[in-house]
């Protein structure tokens, strides 16, 4: 979880509404499976998508396989 704490904190600080899913969520519930990515499910409202997109732009994120 420590690996993703900065990203989760940034999402919260940016006001993004989301829940953590996938391996990280399973690990928080005691599963022994390791994961190396952070999966989230976000609120698709316009204002929330704008906040998320702004944060992702700050991180330099880009879509894979898109020219």
């Amino acid at each position: 979880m420590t690996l993703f704490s900065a990203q989760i904190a940034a999402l919260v600080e940016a006001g993004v509404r989301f829940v953590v899913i996938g391996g990280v969520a399973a690990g928080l519930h005691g599963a022994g499976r390791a994961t190396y990515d952070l999966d989230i499910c976000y609120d698709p409202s316009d204002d929330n998508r704008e906040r998320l997109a702004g944060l992702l732009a700050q991180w330099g994120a880009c879509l894979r396989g898109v020219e």
Side-chain angles (χ1 to χ4, degrees), residues 13-57:
E13 288 173 20
V16 176
R17 292 182 302 277
F18 69 99
V19 294
V20 177
I21 61 173
V24 170
L28 290 171
H29 287 282
R33 184 170 180 265
T35 185
Y36 302 103
D37 62 344
L38 177 63
D39 301 307
I40 66 167
C41 183
Y42 59 90
D43 173 0
S45 65
D46 289 342
D47 63 324
N48 198 56
R49 284 186 294 126
E50 287 178 17
R51 286 191 293 273
L52 178 57
L55 184 58
L56 291 173

